[in-house]
Amino acid sequence: MIKETIKEAEIHMKSALQALELDLSGIRTGRASPSLVERLQVEYYGMPTPLIQLASISVPEPRSLLIRPFDATTLRVIERAIQASDLGLTPNNDGKVIRLNLPALTEERRRDLVKVVHARLEEARIGVRNVRRDMIKDLKEYEHEKLISEDDLHEAEDELQKLTDRMVQQIDGIGDHKQKEIMEV
């Protein structure tokens, strides 16, 4: 029962890690990447739809993205969604495709992006700690119901803490990597 609880905690913690990586992939670095805009929500027939489902996204040059909508009528709504986003990019529409030119990041913009990364890292750490808290609560219920002994409870709590520490360390590693990527000129 304890092993199942710890396995479940690990699965939930890993999903928090994956969500963080997905989130950080959308934060702009010095070079163009389709992941920058592919999860951008576009209002399509009254429904928010990820851009990746409405258009193909390519990188023709290191500092530009080319968005080719599958349906030409969506060109305007995609353009509006890009302008409304917090990417700080101006789309160039030629009637068939949208070009996004990524200007070089200024030192100030890099620092702002690093602050955003730190906020996302903290959210992920909180998510991991919440999983730990919930699992410890479950373990205490097991102990209260006499399903496990008090010693088993303390061993399980120690094991959960080690798992939490390992996950937080991974989160910090991901954050350090992203910070270096952003600060790289």
Side-chain angles (χ1 to χ4, degrees):
M1 189 175 291
I2 291 171
K3 285 185 176 163
E4 290 172 17
T5 305
I6 290 173
K7 257 290 185 249
E8 185 182 340
E10 189 171 7
I11 290 168
H12 287 295
M13 288 179 184
K14 282 186 178 176
S15 70
L17 220 74
Q18 289 170 342
L20 171 70
E21 287 174 336
L22 189 65
D23 209 16
L24 290 182
S25 72
I27 294 179
R28 197 174 133 202
T29 58
R31 54 193 168 277
S33 164
S35 64
L36 192 61
V37 293
E38 60 189 20
R39 290 187 304 127
L40 187 70
Q41 295 294 312
V42 178
E43 196 71 28
Y44 183 60
Y45 289 110
M47 294 290 296
T49 310
L51 179 59
I52 191 89
Q53 293 179 7
L54 299 175
S56 66
I57 304 164
S58 59
V59 184
E61 297 164 22
R63 290 202 179 271
S64 70
L65 289 172
L66 184 72
I67 301 168
R68 188 179 311 276
F70 302 131
D71 178 6
T73 60
T74 61
L75 204 62
R76 288 265 182 253
V77 285
I78 292 172
E79 191 175 19
R80 271 189 238 116
I82 293 168
Q83 287 171 336
S85 73
D86 60 353
L87 293 171
L89 299 173
T90 306
N92 298 326
N93 175 354
D94 72 358
K96 291 182 181 161
V97 295
I98 295 174
R99 295 181 193 282
L100 290 176
N101 293 316
L102 282 78
L105 292 172
T106 63
E107 188 67 26
E108 183 181 340
R109 181 70 179 139
R110 288 177 196 274
R111 291 190 197 290
D112 290 345
L113 289 173
V114 167
K115 286 178 187 174
V116 170
V117 166
H118 284 295
R120 303 276 165 80
L121 291 174
E122 190 54 36
E123 288 171 12
R125 284 188 206 104
I126 289 169
V128 166
R129 290 183 194 126
N130 286 343
V131 169
R132 178 191 62 194
R133 183 197 62 219
D134 294 343
M135 293 304 148
I136 287 176
K137 186 175 139 195
D138 289 349
L139 288 168
K140 285 184 178 176
E141 282 179 23
Y142 296 155
E143 194 248 346
H144 184 72
E145 295 168 2
K146 305 290 185 212
L147 297 172
I148 61 173
S149 69
E150 196 174 327
D151 290 343
D152 290 342
L153 172 68
H154 290 299
E155 280 180 36
E157 284 178 348
D158 290 344
E159 211 170 314
L160 263 175
Q161 186 58 49
K162 287 177 187 169
L163 177 65
T164 302
D165 293 342
R166 204 168 59 238
M167 289 296 168
V168 167
Q169 209 169 25
Q170 286 181 358
I171 288 170
D172 292 341
I174 291 169
D176 290 344
H177 176 72
K178 188 66 178 185
Q179 185 174 345
K180 284 177 188 162
E181 200 177 295
I182 290 171
M183 294 309 282
E184 177 182 295
V185 178

